[in-house]
């Protein structure tokens, strides 16, 4: 059992790191655009504890709420301040606003690329048993992680979906599993149970494909592809809700409590599988990387959500910048500031509501 304190530390470092990277993107873009940045704070804006140093007019500080970071550009909302953000060329403002979400998406690409490099590329054509649950029919029958599934009841299997379908067709009936273990073919009989929870699986096995080492190009392109697919999936959610493809409870927005609960499950599983792999001393027993996968998914979410055309968010500010670029007419700054201010209050209220709901109706956490 992983202590909650360990999960809390990992959660704070992960979430804080994503926020910090986001603000670092804004900072780098602002410096590139020649926009003055008065402060780069480590932590959320709160009580300033110490000033570390000053570089090219930017004060680098540490604040009391050590979660992420923030930047304070000069003249952020006042176009009358020379050298500030609001008075900069609209194209430069666009780059600065986009840079934060872009850094989150780049982080996701790096995380997913690392996962592909460490776990390898799937080789279709056979099905591998990647994990075996404790006290499951699979464990009781003698199945082991790393076994390659060749056939079920005499029917050859090369795809995960077809394997699952055959198992579901034989619930509560013994099935013969032909496996390859270390080059030797073995027949094992196991009984998938209909009484087991859906999340546990009727046999209690995790299925995957055998893998081979990934090249650097495959890792990077795969990381970028996964990031793009996850981003597209987030954008598609409202459409899926309207179409009825996704249930409202499955598209629920979660707050810090819900995210922490997901980290709790991921960290617990990662630690458990590493302990099992160390105890088994078996190269076929591979530990999971759910925590890193969760960090990658959250990085994509943070990047995409900030690009949504919602006032107060980067996407909303980008939307306010477009008329100036397209029509050479700027929305009056006082109106823009008023809309952003009201939107920020609404977003904070929504965030508080979501976090309260996480306590009242806890998120049903499951692994990615």
């Amino acid at each position: 059992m992983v202590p909650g304190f360990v999960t809390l530390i990992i959660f704070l470092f992960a979430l804080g790191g994503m926020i910090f990277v986001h603000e670092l993107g804004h900072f780098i873009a602002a410096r590139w655009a020649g926009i003055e940045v008065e402060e780069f704070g480590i932590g959320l804006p709160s009580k300033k504890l110490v000033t570390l140093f000053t570089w090219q007019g930017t004060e680098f500080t540490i604040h009391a709420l050590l979660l992420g970071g923030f930047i304070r550009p000069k003249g952020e909302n006042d176009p009358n301040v020379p050298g500030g953000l609001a008075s900069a060329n609209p194209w430069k403002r666009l780059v600065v606003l986009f840079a934060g979400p872009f850094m989150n998406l780049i982080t996701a690409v790096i995380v997913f690329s690392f996962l592909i490099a460490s776990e390898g590329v799937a080789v279709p054509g056979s099905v591998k048993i990647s994990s075996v649950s404790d006290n499951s029919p699979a464990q009781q029958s003698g199945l082991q992680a790393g076994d390659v599934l060749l056939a079920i009841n005499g029917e050859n299997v090369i795809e995960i979906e077809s394997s699952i379908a055959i198992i579901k067709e034989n619930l509560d009936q013994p099935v013969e599993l032909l496996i390859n273990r270390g080059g030797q073919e073995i027949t094992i009989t196991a009984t998938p149970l209909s009484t087991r929870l859906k999340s546990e699986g009727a046999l209690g096995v995790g299925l995957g494909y055998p893998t081979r080492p990934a090249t650097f190009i495959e890792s990077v392109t795969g990381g970028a592809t996964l990031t793009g697919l996850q981003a597209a999936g987030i954008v598609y959610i409202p459409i899926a809700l309207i179409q009825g493809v996704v249930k409202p409870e499955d598209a629920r927005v979660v707050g810090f409590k819900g995210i922490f609960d997901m980290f709790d499950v991921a960290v617990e599983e990662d630690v458990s599988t590493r302990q099992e792999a160390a105890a088994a001393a078996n190269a076929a027993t591979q530990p999971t990387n759910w925590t890193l996968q969760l960090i990658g998914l959250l990085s994509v979410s943070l990047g995409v959500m900030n690009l949504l055309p919602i006032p107060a968010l980067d996407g909303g500010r980008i939307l306010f910048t477009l008329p100036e670029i397209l029509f050479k007419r700027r929305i009056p700054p006082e109106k823009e500031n008023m809309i952003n201010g009201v939107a920020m209050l609404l977003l904070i209220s929504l965030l508080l509501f979501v976090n309260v709901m996480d306590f009242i109706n806890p998120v049903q956490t499951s692994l990615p």
Side-chain angles (χ1 to χ4, degrees):
M1 188 72 178
V2 180
F5 177 73
V6 174
T7 300
L8 179 62
I9 294 299
I10 294 173
F11 165 74
L12 292 176
F13 267 104
L15 189 61
M18 283 182 267
I19 298 173
F20 180 83
V21 165
H22 182 96
E23 297 301 330
L24 180 63
H26 288 314
F27 175 76
I28 293 173
R31 295 301 310 178
W32 167 84
I35 297 170
E36 296 182 38
V37 179
E38 296 177 340
E39 182 179 5
F40 190 127
I42 298 175
L44 295 179
S46 51
K47 178 178 175 54
K48 183 168 68 175
L49 299 179
V50 64
T51 297
L52 298 175
F53 58 91
T54 300
W55 177 74
Q56 294 190 1
T58 302
E59 186 181 17
F60 290 80
T61 62
I62 297 179
H63 282 240
L65 294 177
L66 287 172
L67 182 63
F70 71 95
I71 67 167
R72 186 157 50 85
K74 181 179 180 181
E76 181 175 5
N77 299 310
D78 188 356
N80 297 315
V81 177
L85 178 62
S87 62
N89 177 286
W91 283 105
K92 291 184 177 180
R93 298 204 308 272
L94 204 65
V95 171
V96 173
L97 291 169
F98 183 75
F102 177 75
M103 285 288 281
N104 291 128
L105 296 175
I106 287 297
T107 300
V109 172
I110 293 172
V111 170
F112 289 139
S113 298
F114 173 80
L115 286 171
I116 293 172
S118 60
E119 296 177 357
V121 177
V123 181
S126 57
V127 177
K128 177 182 176 182
I129 296 176
S130 56
S131 63
V132 177
S133 302
D134 291 336
N135 302 317
S136 64
Q139 186 187 59
Q140 293 167 3
S141 68
L143 283 172
Q144 298 177 9
D147 290 344
V148 176
L149 187 59
L150 302 176
I152 304 176
N153 283 347
E155 185 175 346
N156 293 337
V157 291
I158 60 174
E159 298 288 343
I160 293 175
E161 292 75 12
S162 60
S163 303
I164 295 174
I166 297 173
I167 291 172
K168 287 183 176 180
E169 290 170 0
N170 292 275
L171 293 177
D172 303 319
Q173 302 176 43
V175 293
E176 283 193 354
L177 307 171
L178 179 63
I179 64 168
N180 183 311
R181 180 181 295 168
Q184 181 181 3
E185 292 189 2
I186 304 172
T187 299
I188 290 178
T189 301
T191 303
L193 301 176
S194 60
T195 54
R196 288 174 58 83
L197 297 175
K198 184 178 179 180
S199 60
E200 297 174 332
L203 270 182
V205 295
L207 299 180
Y209 292 109
T211 59
R212 61 169 176 78
T215 66
F216 177 77
I217 297 299
E218 286 175 329
S219 298
V220 175
T221 54
T225 300
L226 283 175
T227 300
L229 290 173
Q230 292 295 335
I234 294 172
V235 174
Y236 174 66
I237 286 176
I239 301 173
L241 284 170
I242 296 172
Q243 294 176 334
V245 177
V246 175
K247 297 178 181 178
E249 57 269 23
D250 294 333
R252 171 181 167 183
V253 177
V254 298
F256 295 123
K257 170 64 166 54
I259 296 174
F260 174 82
D261 288 343
M262 288 188 283
F263 266 99
D264 197 30
V265 174
V267 171
E268 178 73 32
E269 182 67 14
D270 286 350
V271 171
S272 176
T273 55
R274 276 159 177 74
Q275 291 173 341
E276 291 173 2
N282 180 0
T285 304
Q286 296 294 324
T288 59
N289 290 300
W290 297 129
T291 304
L292 273 178
Q293 288 196 32
L294 186 55
I295 290 173
L297 293 173
L298 290 174
S299 295
V300 176
S301 297
L302 185 59
V304 173
M305 295 300 290
N306 268 283
L307 284 175
L308 294 179
I310 299 174
L313 299 181
D314 293 326
R317 294 176 180 270
I318 289 173
L319 192 64
F320 279 119
T321 306
L322 294 181
E324 189 175 356
I325 293 174
L326 299 175
F327 309 113
K328 308 302 181 184
R329 297 187 61 180
R330 183 169 187 172
I331 295 175
E334 58 275 10
K335 291 185 178 179
E336 179 181 345
N337 294 336
M338 180 188 68
I339 294 172
N340 284 331
V342 172
M344 180 60 72
L345 291 175
L346 292 175
L347 287 174
I348 292 174
S349 300
L350 177 61
L351 182 60
L352 290 173
F353 173 77
V354 168
N355 279 281
V356 170
M357 290 303 298
D358 282 347
F359 281 96
I360 297 175
N361 184 24
V363 178
Q364 299 298 314
T365 55
S366 59
L367 296 178

